[in-house]
Amino acid sequence: NMRYSIVVPYAKQGRFNHAKVSIKLPEEIATVILQYIKQFELPTNNQLFDLGNYAVTYCTTAINEQLFEFSPQEYQQRVSNGELIQIKYTSSQFRHHVAYSMALSGSSAEDIAYILGHSSLVTARHYIFSSPNLAQIRAIALGRNPVYQQIIAMLMTGDIITHEQDHGKNIIGFINNKIHINIGKCSYKANCFLEPVRSCYGCVYFHPYINGNHKEVLECVQYELESIIYMSDAVYNSSNPIIAINEATKFEIQSVIKRCKLNSELKNADD
């Protein structure tokens, strides 16, 4: 009895060397691969399939052919009859889809980074923190009543403060590759596991600055939301749950901006 396995490298080459993914092969497939190695006299340190400039085209074609085989029979039949145009995915879109699917199913940042072949957890964290179930539940619970929305919004964050007030540490974070530092303070005592800035606007430990740069954060979130909608439309997934989640984040930021404006007006009236 023989056992065969093949080691698969990452999709991206990271800065660190990790153990590769080992896949067990049936004896029939192993025999074909061994014959291929023997026929072309491939050294053990060479790539098994060196596609060169055709690698992207080959992988994209393979992905779409396999996805089509996995699709429902009704869809395959309608495509074959010319009633529908087959949905095609690029390799990048497929990678994003896998990462978002893993994030929505509760996978850890380490698992996502492992599958995508990333050398750090930064990108994987973005996939996770852009899809928290709490934000989606909160968005549904807000309803459509504007008065109720404002009441809930006031419960989402802490007090509106000035830079001089001591309510914890200053919050610094990135959204859309732009750093945001002048938004408020965090009074949470332990180390927070959520992503700074993005998750703060719906947190009770967040104390927004009355004159903070909240509009800049809103612009960055709006740009990300438009990009997600564009990507979802490109893959014919207009019901992408990430859209609802980012819309909830947008609403949270808008609520803080309205609260800051109201507090500023009341303060000026008292003066």
Side-chain angles (χ1 to χ4, degrees), residues 111-134:
D111 291 338
I112 296 175
Y114 179 80
I115 294 298
L116 296 185
H118 290 155
S119 58
S120 70
L121 303 180
V122 176
T123 304
R125 280 165 53 90
H126 284 300
Y127 285 113
I128 293 175
F129 293 134
S130 64
S131 57
N133 292 332
L134 179 62

Short mmCIF file of all heavy atoms in Angstrom, two decimals, residues 111-134:
data_model
loop_
_atom_site.label_atom_id
_atom_site.label_comp_id
_atom_site.label_asym_id
_atom_site.label_seq_id
_atom_site.Cartn_x
_atom_site.Cartn_y
_atom_site.Cartn_z
N ASP A 111 -6.59 32.05 10.43
CA ASP A 111 -7.07 31.12 9.40
C ASP A 111 -7.17 31.81 8.04
O ASP A 111 -6.78 31.25 7.01
CB ASP A 111 -8.44 30.55 9.79
CG ASP A 111 -8.36 29.62 10.97
OD1 ASP A 111 -7.25 29.08 11.22
OD2 ASP A 111 -9.37 29.43 11.66
N ILE A 112 -7.70 33.04 8.04
CA ILE A 112 -7.86 33.78 6.78
C ILE A 112 -6.50 34.09 6.18
O ILE A 112 -6.28 33.94 4.97
CB ILE A 112 -8.67 35.07 7.01
CG1 ILE A 112 -10.09 34.72 7.48
CG2 ILE A 112 -8.72 35.91 5.75
CD1 ILE A 112 -10.94 35.91 7.84
N ALA A 113 -5.56 34.57 7.02
CA ALA A 113 -4.22 34.88 6.53
C ALA A 113 -3.52 33.63 6.00
O ALA A 113 -2.78 33.68 5.03
CB ALA A 113 -3.39 35.52 7.64
N TYR A 114 -3.78 32.49 6.64
CA TYR A 114 -3.17 31.22 6.22
C TYR A 114 -3.66 30.82 4.84
O TYR A 114 -2.87 30.44 3.97
CB TYR A 114 -3.53 30.15 7.25
CG TYR A 114 -2.98 28.77 6.93
CD1 TYR A 114 -1.66 28.47 7.21
CD2 TYR A 114 -3.79 27.79 6.36
CE1 TYR A 114 -1.14 27.21 6.93
CE2 TYR A 114 -3.28 26.53 6.08
CZ TYR A 114 -1.96 26.24 6.37
OH TYR A 114 -1.46 25.00 6.08
N ILE A 115 -4.97 30.92 4.62
CA ILE A 115 -5.55 30.54 3.33
C ILE A 115 -5.13 31.50 2.22
O ILE A 115 -4.81 31.09 1.10
CB ILE A 115 -7.08 30.47 3.42
CG1 ILE A 115 -7.50 29.34 4.37
CG2 ILE A 115 -7.71 30.27 2.05
CD1 ILE A 115 -7.08 27.96 3.93
N LEU A 116 -5.10 32.80 2.52
CA LEU A 116 -4.75 33.80 1.50
C LEU A 116 -3.24 33.90 1.28
O LEU A 116 -2.81 34.52 0.31
CB LEU A 116 -5.31 35.17 1.88
CG LEU A 116 -6.83 35.30 1.95
CD1 LEU A 116 -7.21 36.74 2.21
CD2 LEU A 116 -7.48 34.80 0.68
N GLY A 117 -2.46 33.33 2.18
CA GLY A 117 -1.01 33.39 2.02
C GLY A 117 -0.41 34.71 2.42
O GLY A 117 0.64 35.10 1.91
N HIS A 118 -1.07 35.45 3.34
CA HIS A 118 -0.53 36.74 3.77
C HIS A 118 0.54 36.55 4.84
O HIS A 118 0.46 35.61 5.65
CB HIS A 118 -1.66 37.62 4.32
CG HIS A 118 -2.60 38.09 3.27
ND1 HIS A 118 -3.91 38.45 3.52
CD2 HIS A 118 -2.43 38.25 1.93
CE1 HIS A 118 -4.50 38.82 2.41
NE2 HIS A 118 -3.63 38.71 1.42
N SER A 119 1.48 37.45 4.88
CA SER A 119 2.57 37.35 5.84
C SER A 119 2.25 38.01 7.17
O SER A 119 3.01 37.91 8.12
CB SER A 119 3.83 37.99 5.26
OG SER A 119 3.59 39.35 4.92
N SER A 120 1.10 38.71 7.26
CA SER A 120 0.68 39.33 8.51
C SER A 120 -0.83 39.21 8.62
O SER A 120 -1.51 38.76 7.70
CB SER A 120 1.11 40.80 8.58
OG SER A 120 0.37 41.57 7.65
N LEU A 121 -1.36 39.65 9.77
CA LEU A 121 -2.80 39.54 10.03
C LEU A 121 -3.55 40.83 9.72
O LEU A 121 -4.76 40.91 9.95
CB LEU A 121 -3.04 39.17 11.49
CG LEU A 121 -2.37 37.88 11.99
CD1 LEU A 121 -2.72 37.66 13.45
CD2 LEU A 121 -2.79 36.70 11.14
N VAL A 122 -2.86 41.85 9.19
CA VAL A 122 -3.48 43.17 8.98
C VAL A 122 -4.66 43.07 8.03
O VAL A 122 -5.77 43.51 8.34
CB VAL A 122 -2.44 44.18 8.45
CG1 VAL A 122 -3.12 45.51 8.13
CG2 VAL A 122 -1.33 44.38 9.46
N THR A 123 -4.45 42.50 6.85
CA THR A 123 -5.53 42.40 5.87
C THR A 123 -6.65 41.50 6.37
O THR A 123 -7.83 41.80 6.18
CB THR A 123 -4.98 41.85 4.54
OG1 THR A 123 -3.91 42.70 4.09
CG2 THR A 123 -6.08 41.84 3.48
N ALA A 124 -6.30 40.41 7.03
CA ALA A 124 -7.32 39.50 7.55
C ALA A 124 -8.19 40.19 8.57
O ALA A 124 -9.41 39.95 8.64
CB ALA A 124 -6.64 38.27 8.16
N ARG A 125 -7.61 41.07 9.38
CA ARG A 125 -8.38 41.83 10.37
C ARG A 125 -9.43 42.71 9.70
O ARG A 125 -10.54 42.88 10.21
CB ARG A 125 -7.45 42.68 11.23
CG ARG A 125 -6.74 41.92 12.34
CD ARG A 125 -5.59 42.74 12.90
NE ARG A 125 -6.02 44.07 13.31
CZ ARG A 125 -6.46 44.36 14.53
NH1 ARG A 125 -6.52 43.42 15.45
NH2 ARG A 125 -6.82 45.59 14.84
N HIS A 126 -9.08 43.27 8.54
CA HIS A 126 -10.04 44.12 7.82
C HIS A 126 -11.26 43.31 7.38
O HIS A 126 -12.39 43.80 7.44
CB HIS A 126 -9.37 44.77 6.61
CG HIS A 126 -8.47 45.91 6.96
ND1 HIS A 126 -8.92 47.05 7.62
CD2 HIS A 126 -7.15 46.11 6.77
CE1 HIS A 126 -7.91 47.89 7.81
NE2 HIS A 126 -6.82 47.34 7.30
N TYR A 127 -11.03 42.09 6.91
CA TYR A 127 -12.15 41.24 6.50
C TYR A 127 -13.07 40.94 7.68
O TYR A 127 -14.29 40.93 7.54
CB TYR A 127 -11.64 39.93 5.91
CG TYR A 127 -11.08 40.06 4.51
CD1 TYR A 127 -9.74 39.87 4.26
CD2 TYR A 127 -11.91 40.37 3.44
CE1 TYR A 127 -9.21 40.00 2.98
CE2 TYR A 127 -11.41 40.50 2.16
CZ TYR A 127 -10.05 40.30 1.93
OH TYR A 127 -9.55 40.43 0.67
N ILE A 128 -12.48 40.71 8.84
CA ILE A 128 -13.27 40.36 10.02
C ILE A 128 -14.01 41.57 10.56
O ILE A 128 -15.22 41.53 10.81
CB ILE A 128 -12.36 39.75 11.10
CG1 ILE A 128 -11.83 38.40 10.63
CG2 ILE A 128 -13.12 39.59 12.41
CD1 ILE A 128 -10.84 37.78 11.57
N PHE A 129 -13.29 42.68 10.74
CA PHE A 129 -13.90 43.84 11.39
C PHE A 129 -14.86 44.60 10.49
O PHE A 129 -15.59 45.47 10.94
CB PHE A 129 -12.81 44.78 11.92
CG PHE A 129 -12.01 44.18 13.02
CD1 PHE A 129 -10.63 44.25 13.03
CD2 PHE A 129 -12.64 43.52 14.07
CE1 PHE A 129 -9.89 43.68 14.06
CE2 PHE A 129 -11.90 42.95 15.09
CZ PHE A 129 -10.53 43.04 15.08
N SER A 130 -14.84 44.31 9.19
CA SER A 130 -15.83 44.93 8.29
C SER A 130 -17.10 44.11 8.24
O SER A 130 -18.03 44.47 7.53
CB SER A 130 -15.24 45.06 6.88
OG SER A 130 -14.99 43.79 6.33
N SER A 131 -17.15 43.02 8.99
CA SER A 131 -18.35 42.18 8.96
C SER A 131 -18.74 41.66 10.34
O SER A 131 -18.98 40.47 10.51
CB SER A 131 -18.13 40.99 8.03
OG SER A 131 -17.01 40.25 8.45
N PRO A 132 -18.79 42.51 11.37
CA PRO A 132 -19.23 42.03 12.67
C PRO A 132 -20.74 41.83 12.69
O PRO A 132 -21.49 42.67 12.22
CB PRO A 132 -18.80 43.15 13.63
CG PRO A 132 -18.80 44.37 12.78
CD PRO A 132 -18.40 43.93 11.40
N ASN A 133 -21.20 40.71 13.24
CA ASN A 133 -22.63 40.45 13.30
C ASN A 133 -23.36 41.48 14.16
O ASN A 133 -24.53 41.79 13.92
CB ASN A 133 -22.89 39.05 13.87
CG ASN A 133 -22.41 37.97 12.91
OD1 ASN A 133 -22.39 38.18 11.71
ND2 ASN A 133 -22.06 36.82 13.45
N LEU A 134 -22.65 42.03 15.16
CA LEU A 134 -23.27 43.01 16.04
C LEU A 134 -23.76 44.22 15.26
O LEU A 134 -24.85 44.73 15.51
CB LEU A 134 -22.28 43.43 17.13
CG LEU A 134 -22.78 44.47 18.13
CD1 LEU A 134 -23.97 43.92 18.90
CD2 LEU A 134 -21.67 44.85 19.10
#
